[in-house]
Amino acid sequence: MDYILGKEWTITPAGGSSGDAYFAEREGKRLFLKRNSSPFLAVLSAEGIVPKLVWTKRMENGDVITAQHWMEGRVLLPDEMEEERVALMLSKIHRSTELLHLFMRIGKRALEPEDMLSSIKQMYNEKKALKNRTIGLAIHYLHEQLPFVRNQEKVVCHGDMTHRNWLLTNHNQLYLIDWDQAIVADPAIDIGMLLYEYIPEEEWDFWLSKYGLTLNHQLMNRIYWYIITQSLFYINWHAERNELQGIRKWNDKLEHFLHKIGYDYPEVQMMK
């Protein structure tokens, strides 16, 4: 990255799995650099969802380098995900017509639940070693409940609700960063995993009221459907990296969740 800014800048890797993010510093000025980041970073910046975009440069090889203000701060703690400001920020993102219009203009197609189920069935047919009763029950549940999650409003979803993607600056400004997995889909994709991972179920209704929704049977069906869907994707993600501990963790979580919602009784037959 030094050939972009000049040798007077000190550039260090920012970590992460992609290896495409860097910190740059010169005479007290600090930037966060990333290669080929989200194409709608400018809109995210303008709406105050990510730190301010300083500049964008297209390289001769086609790569696009973006520079943002380097904000001093920290990631949210898991128990801070219950806070109202998280619910309000996510609600603001999901209701942003600017984000949605831009995403659609660049040719992104809305992700339908049928698409996700088809991908999952193909994924586990190809990885027969991962198939077990829990996986079979989960796929059966998704197939059985598919009619109840169709035809929902589609919004821009972040796609990775880990607390490590929520940045709280030293000036108490909250940002949601790392938009590489963003999609247009049912907002229950984001909501479901955030609730599942961080909010006790007896507090889901209260958290959703801060977001601007009322928890009813239809919304609960969608939340359950996407919790199970994303759990299956996480199991596969760890399997592709041969991370046995991650596979066991998410398989156990999925088994426990199916039991909790009463979907592990013997009469349920696994999908063939």
Side-chain angles (χ1 to χ4, degrees):
M1 285 286 183
D2 54 352
Y3 63 91
I4 297 173
L5 293 173
K7 293 185 178 179
E8 63 272 19
W9 287 81
T10 300
I11 299 176
T12 56
S17 58
S18 68
D20 286 335
Y22 303 85
F23 294 126
E25 185 171 7
R26 185 191 71 174
E27 298 176 354
K29 184 175 182 180
R30 297 176 175 181
L31 296 174
F32 174 75
L33 307 179
K34 192 163 185 182
R35 189 193 317 271
N36 298 328
S37 61
S38 168
F40 48 95
L41 192 62
V43 176
L44 292 167
S45 170
E47 297 207 4
I49 296 167
V50 300
K52 186 177 179 182
L53 180 65
V54 180
W55 50 255
T56 300
K57 294 183 179 180
R58 181 173 294 277
M59 311 307 294
E60 291 183 2
N61 64 358
D63 285 347
V64 176
I65 309 298
T66 55
Q68 294 169 264
H69 283 307
W70 177 358
M71 308 299 296
E72 293 286 354
R74 61 174 178 83
V75 299
L76 287 187
L77 301 174
D79 60 2
E80 291 176 316
M81 295 291 282
E82 298 186 37
E83 295 180 358
E84 182 175 13
R85 58 186 168 187
V86 173
L88 292 175
M89 172 67 86
L90 190 58
S91 179
K92 173 183 176 179
I93 292 165
H94 288 167
R95 287 169 171 78
S96 171
T97 55
E98 285 293 325
L99 278 178
L100 182 59
H101 291 161
L102 178 57
F103 212 110
M104 302 306 276
R105 281 202 302 272
I106 63 175
K108 296 292 185 179
R109 186 175 68 89
L111 184 63
E112 300 291 346
E114 293 91 339
D115 301 327
M116 300 182 74
L117 180 54
S118 177
S119 295
I120 286 170
K121 291 167 73 173
Q122 180 179 351
M123 182 188 305
Y124 284 96
N125 283 336
E126 293 173 354
K127 295 184 174 66
K128 297 186 186 299
L130 288 178
K131 292 290 284 288
N132 55 43
R133 186 173 187 274
T134 297
I135 299 295
L137 285 171
I139 295 174
H140 188 279
Y141 176 92
L142 296 179
H143 190 271
E144 182 180 82
Q145 297 295 315
L146 181 62
F148 304 106
V149 297
R150 287 180 170 136
N151 303 319
Q152 300 298 324
E153 177 188 13
K154 302 300 190 296
V155 304
V156 173
C157 296
H158 180 272
D160 187 6
M161 283 288 102
T162 173
H163 67 98
R164 292 181 292 274
N165 283 334
W166 293 82
L167 173 65
L168 183 64
T169 73
N170 291 347
H171 297 289
N172 207 37
Q173 175 67 48
L174 183 65
Y175 295 112
L176 180 57
I177 60 174
D178 195 356
W179 282 81
D180 293 345
Q181 297 183 44
I183 53 175
V184 173
D186 186 336
I189 286 181
D190 283 343
I191 294 169
M193 286 309 289
L194 191 152
L195 294 175
Y196 180 52
E197 288 286 275
Y198 300 107
I199 316 296
E201 188 160 352
E202 62 270 18
E203 298 177 19
W204 284 11
D205 198 7
F206 180 63
W207 191 94
L208 284 166
S209 71
K210 293 183 286 188
Y211 171 94
L213 287 175
T214 299
L215 185 60
N216 54 32
H217 184 68
Q218 183 193 51
L219 178 57
M220 187 70 84
N221 278 344
R222 289 158 55 203
I223 287 171
Y224 283 177
W225 202 89
Y226 285 108
I227 287 172
I228 291 172
T229 299
Q230 290 181 283
S231 296
L232 289 168
F233 279 122
Y234 280 131
I235 291 170
N236 180 71
W237 189 89
H238 287 289
E240 289 182 341
R241 290 155 180 79
N242 199 30
E243 297 172 352
L244 300 183
Q245 185 176 356
I247 296 172
R248 284 194 295 268
K249 170 191 168 184
W250 279 97
N251 193 87
D252 290 347
K253 283 168 68 74
L254 180 57
E255 182 178 17
H256 176 76
F257 185 75
L258 289 169
H259 175 75
K260 184 178 73 67
I261 65 175
Y263 207 78
D264 61 347
Y265 45 89
E267 289 80 7
V268 175
Q269 300 297 313
M270 292 192 297
M271 291 287 290
K272 295 182 180 179

